[in-house]
Amino acid sequence: MRVSATTHIDIVLRARAKHIPVRVIHNTSIMNAVGASGLQLYTFGQAVSLVFFTDTWKPDSFYDRIKENSDLGLHTLVLLDIKVKEQSEENLARFVSRAMLTLGC
């Protein structure tokens, strides 16, 4: 059983000490993926987003946060923005319907 936050670990340990069965159901998140890699989340500083640059918009605020994390000896999780066609509500509804059929819900 893998959990990342000390609060979650504490809850699991207290429940087990009282012989209360525990089952963890993970949500999908990038932080879960980092934790599953074996890296300790507490060795990461603030995460930053690196947005998709345009001809008129090239923010550099992410650099300062990466440098601050590095100066503190911490890793940085950089979330990369990718340019994809935004989902319309109609397309999203179609996707959800197909997903529900696929999962047999």
Side-chain angles (χ1 to χ4, degrees):
M1 172 181 316
R2 282 187 180 247
V3 291
S4 301
T6 53
T7 303
H8 298 152
I9 294 168
D10 181 61
I11 291 169
V12 169
L13 292 176
R14 287 176 190 229
R16 285 185 176 169
K18 294 181 179 188
H19 305 287
I20 299 170
V22 175
R23 181 173 164 217
V24 175
I25 301 172
H26 294 286
N27 188 10
T28 303
S29 104
I30 190 64
M31 298 311 280
N32 287 349
V34 170
S37 73
L39 296 172
Q40 293 295 318
L41 291 177
Y42 296 109
T43 63
F44 280 78
Q46 292 184 23
V48 299
S49 293
L50 181 55
V51 299
F52 194 84
F53 287 4
T54 67
D55 291 335
T56 58
W57 192 54
K58 294 182 172 108
D60 61 3
S61 56
F62 63 90
Y63 176 79
D64 294 331
R65 190 71 60 231
I66 293 171
K67 175 141 180 29
E68 287 172 14
N69 288 343
S70 178
D71 290 346
L72 293 169
L74 300 171
H75 301 292
T76 302
L77 177 62
V78 180
L79 305 171
L80 301 178
D81 183 15
I82 56 173
K83 204 65 167 168
V84 295
K85 184 177 177 184
E86 297 296 328
Q87 286 280 353
S88 69
E89 287 182 22
E90 181 182 326
N91 286 341
L92 186 57
R94 240 186 267 134
F95 170 76
V96 170
S97 294
R98 278 188 306 214
M100 290 176 75
L101 289 173
T102 302
L103 296 173
C105 296

